[in-house]
Amino acid sequence: MHAAKPPRKTVARETVAAATKGTLWAFLALIGANMALAIGPWFVRIADTGPIAAGFWRITLAAPVLTLLALRGGWRPVGISRSLWIMLVFGGVCFAADLASWHLGILRTTLANSTLFGNSAILFFPVYGFLVARTWPTRSQGLALLLALIGATLLMGRSYELNPRNLTGDLYCLLAGVLYTVYFICMARARDTLAPFPALALSTITSILPLLLFAVVAGERIIPHDWAPLLGLALVSQVIGQGLMIYALGRFSPLVVGIALLTQPVMAAAIGLLVYGERLGLPDLIGAALVAVALVLVRDAPKEPDQLAAEPEQDR
């Protein structure tokens, strides 16, 4: 006799429960990624190389670890289409330019501002989601984007009022945010066919040479005396932070990723206060509050259970 098949409703409930559990872990990974990435600016500040060179070592030291993790997961560098290679290389070059611009900005503004503007993908990436979905924002989502723009303007204006040199750092970080958004888009598309570690390993490898060239052209010091900050930067920011982020990119919509990015400026502000005594003025607090409200308004549900079930098994 054949065993009786479970009722369809039971199977559906089990599928939804499994997807919900997977989504919870993915959300925790997304929050953990942002917490790890927020520590990066501190490592850059204490490194005894140039800021772009610090980005070069972040990538170079992390690349062997990420490649090993990808290979241990059963992935092999075969069967990659030309279009996927183009996407990975373009994403890697954008990431290299993002790090170069961001690390230059980190030394020219506060930790909180560098993290906020460097992660301006909190606005650009959700907008990309609207364009791909070919839908207009709802009234509340449009209001959220307007509040976020006003909040960002207040933050930048206060930065300039306190110290004119901070404005240059803010602009570097804002450019980095735009490049980071392009990197997100490339990696989100790559995650359609690649598991997290292979996607991250390949894009990381393609970032090495551009970052080295940027550092050499800028005339920076490349070889450090103290490797500890650079090892910390590679492990915490690239392996853990970007590893968790790329995993989450395959699980959530651009709106959810954008909301979660808000945790980075909050943690960076805490580090800046505790380590460097960087205090936020009233306009900064109002601007940050407006951005926070905006990101709460621009909310979206994670991928549906049937979408998660259809993803490659190696991604889980």
Side-chain angles (χ1 to χ4, degrees):
M1 294 181 64
H2 296 287
K5 294 183 178 180
R8 288 187 177 181
K9 290 185 177 180
T10 301
V11 174
R13 283 195 298 268
E14 291 176 351
T15 301
V16 171
T20 301
K21 183 178 180 181
T23 301
L24 175 61
W25 283 112
F27 183 75
L28 293 176
L30 183 59
I31 298 300
N34 285 286
M35 294 181 68
L37 290 169
I39 303 175
W42 180 56
F43 284 123
V44 174
R45 281 196 172 188
I46 64 177
D48 60 2
T49 63
I52 301 177
F56 163 72
W57 287 116
R58 163 180 167 169
I59 294 298
T60 303
L61 295 174
V65 178
L66 293 170
T67 303
L68 179 61
L69 290 172
L71 294 175
R72 288 196 62 180
W75 172 80
R76 295 295 180 269
V78 294
I80 301 176
S81 66
R82 180 180 178 182
S83 61
L84 182 56
W85 269 118
I86 293 174
M87 187 68 62
L88 289 168
V89 171
F90 185 65
V93 172
C94 286
F95 187 61
D98 157 54
L99 283 184
S101 180
W102 189 39
H103 286 191
L104 285 172
I106 287 171
L107 301 184
R108 292 168 171 81
T109 187
T110 65
L111 280 180
N113 276 17
S114 68
T115 306
L116 178 65
F117 293 122
N119 287 282
S120 52
I122 55 180
L123 298 178
F124 301 138
F125 199 46
V127 170
Y128 159 77
F130 285 126
L131 293 176
V132 170
R134 296 181 180 180
T135 60
W136 287 98
T138 65
R139 183 177 299 178
S140 63
Q141 291 168 339
L143 175 62
L145 293 174
L146 178 61
L147 290 175
L149 179 61
I150 295 173
T153 302
L154 282 173
L155 284 166
M156 182 174 288
R158 178 63 174 175
S159 174
Y160 178 75
E161 181 181 354
L162 286 176
N163 190 337
R165 288 177 299 176
N166 281 2
L167 182 61
T168 301
D170 290 342
L171 292 175
Y172 270 124
C173 293
L174 188 59
L175 172 61
V178 175
L179 293 167
Y180 198 33
T181 303
V182 178
Y183 166 73
F184 267 2
I185 293 171
C186 293
M187 295 309 295
R189 292 186 178 182
R191 284 283 284 112
D192 290 338
T193 54
L194 283 177
F197 280 123
L200 182 57
L202 291 174
S203 68
T204 297
I205 291 171
T206 60
S207 301
I208 294 176
L209 183 58
L211 273 169
L212 179 59
L213 292 176
F214 291 154
V216 171
V217 170
E220 291 189 355
R221 176 181 175 181
I222 306 295
I223 306 299
H225 288 302
D226 183 6
W227 287 92
L230 299 176
L231 289 171
L233 184 64
L235 177 62
V236 176
S237 292
Q238 193 65 17
V239 176
I240 298 176
Q242 283 297 325
L244 293 175
M245 180 63 75
I246 297 305
Y247 169 76
L249 275 178
R251 298 296 184 119
F252 291 106
S253 70
L255 292 179
V256 175
V257 174
I259 292 171
L261 284 173
L262 180 64
T263 59
Q264 286 196 45
V266 174
M267 186 167 183
I271 296 173
L273 175 62
L274 295 174
V275 179
Y276 298 103
E278 296 177 350
R279 298 184 179 275
L280 298 178
L282 181 59
D284 297 306
L285 296 175
I286 295 175
L290 288 176
V291 173
V293 172
L295 291 172
V296 170
L297 288 174
V298 186
R299 59 185 181 272
D300 190 24
K303 289 184 178 180
E304 297 296 329
D306 57 341
Q307 289 177 294
L308 291 174
E311 290 184 357
E313 188 68 27
Q314 61 176 341
D315 287 359
R316 303 183 181 182

